[in-house]
């Protein structure tokens, strides 16, 4: 009996040794530049084990002790393989070499080839900025936000605008991040260009309302933009000259293989041509923008790396000393990456963000100034814990202090900060990425957000049933006036039907505490940001989505169908006859609150490889609101409601030197409130309205074409010319529609359409050495 017990214990001991697991961890980066590769696939040959790198290129896989072949791959790079004897924890530094530039290697995505099928994440879009550089664009300026507008479920805010709507949400419901810093107004030149200089951008990821729990604060989407780290192997200078702007980018090692820097700048020079005018009035006008990106990073040890990145941009628009608008963004991010061990990765960030604008008027005896700003200090801690082969935890917290100057009009150059509102937004989150079975992947998590309205100089109001102010309250500085708490659960899952297809389902709740209200029909830099208070409640959205994904011809083609339904609570709209042009008046009495709903279906077909690449996307959608006191208390279309939205994008590699490209856009006109008739009072024509957003603007469609030719391509120097025509067939799309009395028949009303762009050709010269 004792012998049997000893044999049994020996068997258990041996089995325990055989099952002992070790961890392979490390980083994946570009061999030529040292740039970390986000979302690279690391797999174990002959098994179903594998993972993808995080946003800093880090990965971790736990396996039983044995000998393995580890493969690493990333679209556009040669495959990497290494044999590993895993008898202890093993560190691996993978350097992938870019593939040669042949006709068969044009790619439009930087994710794993089958990620769309295998990943549990829904509503996620990745853009490879470098591969999309040949698309035709307005005035020759490569603009990632214009490309985002061509994706399924995303709608352009209007002609020439960088603003966008995602799955029925408003423009303010998109969280735009640049190296983790919030960019409140990501546009230049009255929204015709974005603040993102493509020369400085590494990657762009868009989440359409089903984002992981580490993101929060907006209802509809997260656009996460990462800047290049800078080449840590050699020095390079690149740039370009176009019709209205010039760019210059400088990067190189601080210490080869350990640290690097990047400086990238861009400026328009339309104002230089104004100075050539013989009209002194024209010469004194100013119209330009500039931006500057900078980044430093240094690897102190194998476990520690520091990043410091920043952005500064400004727009100046003035008509002599009569009228002027200046606005701009500034951000700074200090990050510390630390690897505690082979399973635990940490990212600690201190982030600053500042958006401000200034308006001045000096005409006809009227002098006035208006200043407004929103300033954030944000501290974040995020950790990735790779528990085992089937579970990885992502958890952390962030804390943001907001200071908002609301835009008070003053007769003096300086505007007092007596109305500044201060709030404190905090959140903790956790997500478990769980490989439940060989076919089922689940991401399940939650975010707990707490928003505190702080006292200070701002005023809080009490309204009666007629939306009139009956009481005003000020709270001492530092004291918490009101607190809102929201639990935001998130879950998404994919079930693989085979190697090339899957079905997915997701649910997410999001809460938003900052809101943007416009004084005009179109978005503009002086729209007003307002924080949640005792009257303006947090908006909350619950979104469910379901999708089918299938890849064809060994992942060359990706097809998907996604449908969604989003219920929104505490949404706001202006009451009828609201007085919204006086920024000195409180906005709370002008607002009414209710609920909204958005639902639709999105179709997408992408071709990722070969001489012809591109995608086709179509969205059928509806967005509606129900607010007591608006539209006779009935459901009505939101301003951003559109029935149909179609985008076709194509790039064709004609030869080793020439690439042709084109994109076509069609969408239903936005819902709008137009007069249904008119009546006279004291010989004055008064427009008559029957309901909110009962009409539509005309449908919008446009074709853009372009071509890029490589002039020289040597090991140390390359250059190219890009040509494009925006709106190739000269469609006069509406920008603004106004109404006036017909001068020939006062009983009738005329609709007048203003269009901006017809046949806009452009040429730009780009270089790198």
């Amino acid at each position: 009996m004792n012998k049997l017990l000893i044999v049994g214990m020996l068997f258990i001991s041996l089995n325990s040794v055989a099952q002992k697991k070790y961890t392979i961890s490390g980083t994946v980066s570009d061999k030529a530049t040292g740039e970390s590769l986000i979302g690279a696939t690391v797999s174990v040959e002959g098994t179903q084990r594998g993972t993808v790198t995080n946003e800093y290129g880090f990965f971790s896989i736990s396996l039983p002790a044995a000998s393995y072949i580890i493969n690493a791959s990333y679209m556009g790079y040669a495959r990497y393989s290494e044999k590993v004897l895993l008898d202890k924890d093993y560190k691996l530094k993978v350097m992938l070499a870019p593939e040669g530039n042949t006709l068969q290697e044009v790619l439009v995505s930087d994710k794993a080839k089958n990620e769309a099928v295998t990943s549990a994440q829904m509503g996620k879009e990745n853009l490879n900025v470098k591969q999309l550089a040949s698309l035709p664009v307005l005035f020759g300026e490569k603009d990632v936000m214009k490309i985002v507008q061509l994706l399924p479920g995303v709608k352009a805010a209007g002609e020439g605008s960088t603003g966008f709507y995602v799955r029925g949400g408003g423009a303010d419901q998109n969280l735009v991040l640049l190296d983790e810093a919030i960019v409140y107004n990501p546009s230049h030149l009255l929204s015709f260009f974005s603040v993102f200089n493509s020369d400085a951008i590494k990657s762009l990821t868009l989440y359409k309302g089903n984002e992981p729990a580490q993101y929060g604060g907006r209802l509809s989407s997260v656009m996460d933009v990462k800047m290049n780290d800078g080449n840590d192997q050699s020095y390079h200078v690149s740039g370009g000259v176009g019709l209205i702007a010039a760019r210059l980018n400088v990067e190189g090692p601080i210490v080869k293989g350990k640290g690097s820097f990047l400086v990238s700048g861009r400026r328009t020079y339309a104002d230089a041509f104004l100075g050539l005018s013989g009209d002194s009035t024209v010469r004194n006008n100013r119209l330009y923008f500039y931006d500057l990106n900078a980044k430093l990073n240094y690897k102190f040890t194998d476990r520690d790396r520091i990043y410091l990145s920043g952005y500064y941009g400004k727009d100046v628009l003035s008509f002599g000393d009569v009228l002027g608008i200046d606005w701009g963004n500034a951000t700074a991010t200090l990050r510390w990456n630390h690897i505690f061990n082979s399973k635990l990765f940490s990212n600690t960030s201190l982030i600053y963000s500042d958006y401000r604008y200034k308006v001045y008027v000096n005409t006809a005896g009227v002098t006035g100034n208006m200043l407004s700003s929103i300033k954030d200090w944000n501290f974040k801690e995020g950790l990735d814990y790779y528990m085992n082969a089937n579970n990885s935890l992502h958890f952390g917290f962030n804390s943001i202090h907001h200071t908002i100057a609301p835009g008070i009009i003053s007769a003096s150059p300086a505007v007092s900060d007596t109305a500044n509102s201060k709030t404190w937004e905090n959140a903790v989150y956790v997500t478990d990425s769980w490989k439940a079975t060989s076919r089922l992947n689940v991401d399940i998590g939650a975010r707990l957000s707490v928003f505190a309205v702080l006292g200070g100089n701002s005023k809080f109001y009490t309204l009666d049933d007629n939306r009139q102010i009956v009481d005003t309250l000020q709270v001492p500085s530092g004291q918490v006036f009101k607190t809102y708490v929201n639990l935001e659960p998130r879950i998404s899952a994919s079930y693989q039907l085979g190697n090339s297809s899957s079905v997915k389902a997701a649910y997410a709740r999001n809460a938003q505490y900052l809101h943007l209200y416009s004084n005009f029909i179109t978005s503009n830099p002086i729209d007003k940001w307002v924080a949640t208070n005792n009257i303006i409640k947090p908006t909350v959205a619950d979104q469910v989505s379901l999708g089918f994904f299938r890849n064809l011809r060994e992942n060359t083609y990706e097809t998907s169908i996604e449908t969604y339904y989003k219920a929104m609570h505490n949404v706001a709209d202006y009451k009828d006859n609201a007085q919204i042009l006086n920024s000195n008046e409180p906005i709370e009495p002008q607002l009414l609150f209710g609920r909204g709903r958005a639902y639709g279906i999105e179709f997408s077909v992408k071709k990722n490889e070969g001489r012809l690449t591109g995608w086709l996307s179509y969205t059928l959608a509806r967005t509606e609101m129900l607010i007591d006191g608006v539209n006779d208390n009935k459901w009505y279309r939101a301003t951003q409601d559109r029935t149909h939205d179609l985008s076709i994008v194509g790039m064709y590699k004609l030869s080793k030197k020439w690439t042709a490209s084109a994109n076509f856009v069609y969408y239903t006109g936005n819902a709008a409130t137009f007069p249904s008739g008119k009546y006279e009072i004291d010989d004055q024509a008064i427009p008559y309205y029957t309901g909110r957003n009962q009409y539509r603007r005309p449908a919008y469609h446009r074709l853009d074409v372009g071509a890029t030719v490589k002039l020289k391509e040597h090991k140390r120097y390359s250059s190219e010319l890009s040509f494009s025509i925006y709106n190739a067939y000269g469609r006069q799309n509406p920008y603004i529609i106004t109404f006036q009395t017909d001068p020939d028949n006062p009983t009738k009303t005329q609709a007048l359409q203003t269009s901006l762009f017809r046949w806009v050709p452009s040429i730009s010269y780009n270089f790198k050495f």
Side-chain angles (χ1 to χ4, degrees):
M1 182 69 178
N2 290 337
K3 290 182 179 179
L4 182 61
L5 180 61
I6 293 172
V7 170
M9 292 179 65
L10 182 59
F11 175 80
I12 292 172
S13 177
L14 290 172
N15 186 63
S16 175
V17 171
Q19 293 301 313
K20 184 172 179 60
K21 292 186 177 182
Y22 297 101
T23 301
I24 300 174
S25 62
T27 57
V28 180
S29 55
D30 185 313
K31 185 176 182 180
T33 66
E35 289 276 355
S36 58
L37 297 179
I38 304 170
T41 299
V42 181
S43 59
V44 183
E45 191 169 301
T47 74
Q48 294 185 339
R49 300 290 178 84
T51 187
V52 294
T53 56
N54 69 7
E55 58 187 358
Y56 298 99
F58 179 81
F59 70 90
S60 176
I61 306 175
S62 294
L63 299 164
S67 180
Y68 298 98
I69 295 178
I70 306 300
N71 297 319
S73 61
Y74 193 76
M75 293 189 77
Y77 289 78
R79 187 182 182 88
Y80 174 96
S81 294
E82 182 172 333
K83 190 173 183 179
V84 172
L85 176 60
L86 194 61
D87 55 0
K88 60 181 180 179
D89 287 347
Y90 193 89
K91 289 184 178 180
L92 196 61
K93 185 177 182 180
V94 178
M95 306 289 285
L96 298 184
E99 292 180 328
N101 185 24
T102 68
L103 296 184
Q104 282 70 42
E105 292 165 351
V106 179
L107 311 170
V108 298
S109 174
D110 58 2
K111 61 185 178 181
K113 288 188 175 183
N114 63 342
E115 182 189 0
V117 171
T118 60
S119 170
Q121 185 68 52
M122 282 194 70
K124 179 182 178 182
E125 302 283 351
N126 294 285
L127 286 183
N128 185 322
V129 178
K130 294 182 178 67
Q131 298 294 347
L132 297 173
S134 60
L135 282 178
V137 289
L138 181 63
F139 295 121
E141 282 299 298
K142 295 178 287 186
D143 199 324
V144 293
M145 289 187 68
K146 294 289 181 62
I147 299 170
V148 166
Q149 295 172 356
L150 302 173
L151 299 174
V154 183
K155 305 171 186 290
E159 171 73 289
S161 173
T162 58
F164 60 97
Y165 309 125
V166 177
R167 291 188 171 177
D172 68 317
Q173 295 177 5
N174 306 311
L175 179 65
V176 180
L177 302 173
L178 178 62
D179 272 4
E180 299 186 83
I182 300 174
V183 181
Y184 283 96
N185 184 2
S187 66
H188 280 308
L189 199 63
L190 299 176
S191 198
F192 294 135
F193 303 98
S194 82
V195 300
F196 300 118
N197 180 355
S198 60
D199 290 345
I201 302 305
K202 176 196 292 189
S203 67
L204 184 153
T205 303
L206 179 73
Y207 299 94
K208 296 182 288 189
N210 291 112
E211 63 269 16
Q214 65 262 34
Y215 299 104
R218 299 294 185 274
L219 295 190
S220 294
S221 77
V222 175
M223 192 173 83
D224 192 355
V225 181
K226 303 293 185 186
M227 287 173 52
N228 287 320
D229 297 330
N231 194 314
D232 69 1
Q233 299 297 310
S234 57
Y235 296 96
H236 291 277
V237 177
S238 61
V241 179
L243 289 181
I244 68 166
R247 314 180 315 276
L248 187 66
N249 185 79
V250 182
E251 58 183 325
I254 300 173
V255 175
K256 189 173 182 179
K258 297 191 67 174
S260 60
F261 73 90
L262 168 78
V263 179
S264 186
R266 176 177 59 162
R267 192 192 191 278
T268 59
Y269 34 72
D271 55 315
F273 296 103
L274 296 178
L276 301 177
S277 173
D279 189 331
S280 60
T281 303
V282 175
R283 285 201 307 271
N284 292 331
N285 293 341
R286 294 186 298 168
L287 175 62
Y288 66 88
F289 70 78
Y290 64 85
D291 44 36
L292 178 69
N293 298 77
K295 192 168 185 177
L296 300 171
N297 77 90
Y298 191 79
K299 188 175 182 180
F300 289 93
T301 70
D302 289 341
R303 294 176 178 267
D304 297 279
R305 193 174 197 123
I306 295 290
Y307 298 83
L308 177 62
S309 61
Y311 167 82
Y312 183 78
K314 187 174 182 180
D315 282 69
V316 176
L317 171 62
S318 68
F319 301 95
D321 297 327
V322 176
L323 173 65
I325 306 174
D326 299 349
W327 72 94
N329 295 275
T331 71
T333 305
L334 176 63
R335 288 178 291 178
W336 170 37
N337 285 176
H338 178 67
I339 301 173
F340 286 96
N341 53 51
S342 59
K343 291 189 174 185
L344 184 60
F345 178 93
S346 166
N347 177 63
T348 306
S349 303
L350 178 63
I351 307 160
Y352 172 78
S353 178
D354 187 4
Y355 168 65
R356 60 184 60 238
Y357 67 78
K358 175 183 177 182
V359 180
Y360 66 86
V361 178
N362 183 15
T363 180
V366 177
T367 302
N369 294 273
M370 181 168 65
L371 296 174
S372 181
S373 68
I374 179 167
K375 184 185 297 184
D376 291 348
W377 284 100
N378 183 3
F379 180 75
K380 296 176 66 176
E381 174 62 43
L383 297 112
D384 296 341
Y385 178 54
Y386 301 86
M387 296 174 60
N388 51 52
N390 297 322
N391 293 86
S392 59
L393 285 179
H394 313 276
F395 58 97
F397 69 90
N398 74 286
S399 181
I400 311 175
H401 185 273
H402 304 285
T403 303
I404 301 178
I408 301 298
I409 298 174
S410 170
S412 62
V415 178
S416 172
D417 65 352
T418 55
N420 284 2
S421 67
K422 297 181 184 295
T423 57
W424 189 18
E425 184 175 355
N426 296 277
V428 294
Y429 66 87
V430 61
T431 298
D432 180 14
S433 296
W434 174 36
K435 188 174 181 61
T437 70
S438 61
R439 292 179 178 270
L440 178 62
N441 292 317
V442 181
D443 288 349
I444 183 168
R447 180 182 181 89
L448 181 66
S449 59
V450 181
F451 188 84
V453 182
L454 305 179
N457 296 324
S458 57
K459 297 178 181 180
F460 304 101
Y461 304 100
T462 301
L463 307 181
D464 62 18
D465 293 340
N466 296 318
R467 311 297 294 174
Q468 299 298 312
I469 296 175
V470 295
D471 193 16
T472 301
L473 175 67
Q474 279 193 275
V475 178
S477 179
Q479 182 175 321
V480 177
F481 173 61
K482 196 169 183 62
T483 302
Y484 295 93
V485 180
N486 280 287
L487 179 63
E488 306 169 38
R490 317 271 173 89
I491 184 170
S492 57
S494 68
Y495 184 81
Q496 286 187 243
L497 303 175
N499 293 330
S500 58
S501 62
S502 66
V503 292
K504 297 185 183 183
Y507 164 76
R509 166 169 284 197
N510 288 282
Q512 180 166 333
Y513 300 99
L514 301 184
H515 318 276
L516 186 67
Y517 299 117
S518 177
N519 289 344
F520 301 91
I521 297 174
T522 57
S523 176
N524 66 87
I526 61 173
D527 290 344
K528 179 182 290 190
W529 282 98
V530 178
T532 288
N533 53 37
N534 59 315
I535 294 174
I536 302 174
K537 302 293 194 297
T539 50
V540 178
D542 294 285
Q543 177 174 288
V544 293
S545 52
L546 181 68
F548 174 74
F549 298 78
R550 182 172 177 80
N551 288 6
L552 304 171
R553 294 190 179 181
E554 297 182 347
N555 302 308
T556 298
Y557 293 89
E558 294 180 11
T559 65
S560 65
I561 302 174
E562 290 187 60
T563 184
Y564 66 89
Y565 182 90
K566 180 162 57 178
M568 296 170 281
H569 314 279
N570 298 327
V571 297
D573 203 350
Y574 289 117
K575 67 182 184 180
D576 291 338
N577 304 312
Q579 304 298 314
I580 60 177
L581 294 180
N582 188 348
S583 292
N584 288 355
E585 295 297 325
I587 197 170
E588 288 88 345
Q590 310 300 327
L591 299 174
L592 295 173
F593 302 90
R595 54 196 176 101
R597 61 189 181 194
Y599 48 94
I601 185 167
E602 303 164 2
F603 301 86
S604 175
V605 178
K606 297 180 182 178
K607 186 173 185 294
N608 294 323
E609 302 180 32
R611 298 180 68 175
L612 175 65
T613 58
W615 67 88
L616 181 151
S617 64
Y618 169 72
T619 304
L620 176 67
R622 175 63 59 90
T623 307
E624 299 171 312
M625 302 174 72
L626 178 63
I627 296 178
D628 286 345
V630 178
N631 200 53
D632 295 327
N633 303 331
K634 298 177 182 178
W635 285 98
Y636 65 95
R637 304 183 188 103
T639 303
Q640 64 269 24
D641 175 73
R642 291 181 190 155
T643 308
H644 306 284
D645 204 299
L646 173 69
S647 298
I648 303 173
V649 179
M651 292 158 282
Y652 188 74
K653 190 77 173 177
L654 297 169
S655 66
K656 289 185 177 181
K657 286 191 173 184
W658 282 92
T659 301
S661 58
N663 55 259
F664 174 77
V665 177
Y666 172 90
Y667 55 77
T668 305
N670 282 19
T673 302
F674 294 150
S676 300
K678 64 181 179 180
Y679 54 92
E680 288 189 2
I681 297 180
D682 296 331
D683 297 326
Q684 295 291 322
I686 308 298
Y688 171 70
Y689 297 92
T690 56
R692 187 74 60 94
N693 291 342
Q694 299 297 305
Y695 295 90
R696 286 196 180 276
R697 294 157 66 91
Y700 180 100
H701 52 89
R702 187 190 80 242
L703 172 68
D704 307 329
V705 295
T708 300
V709 57
K710 293 184 177 180
L711 302 177
K712 293 183 179 180
E713 189 168 18
H714 301 293
K715 185 177 181 180
R716 295 186 177 182
Y717 177 81
S718 63
S719 61
E720 65 180 27
L721 276 177
S722 293
F723 310 88
S724 68
I725 300 177
Y726 179 91
N727 196 15
Y729 54 78
R731 162 77 173 178
Q732 290 185 291
N733 287 298
Y735 181 66
I736 297 175
I737 295 177
T738 57
F739 295 87
Q740 69 175 26
T741 299
D742 188 339
D744 299 324
N745 186 351
T747 63
K748 294 184 177 180
T749 299
Q750 289 181 332
L752 302 179
Q753 173 179 304
T754 301
S755 300
L756 287 180
F757 304 118
R758 295 189 70 185
W759 304 301
V760 182
S762 62
I763 181 172
S764 59
Y765 171 75
N766 304 305
F767 61 89
K768 182 176 181 179
F769 59 87

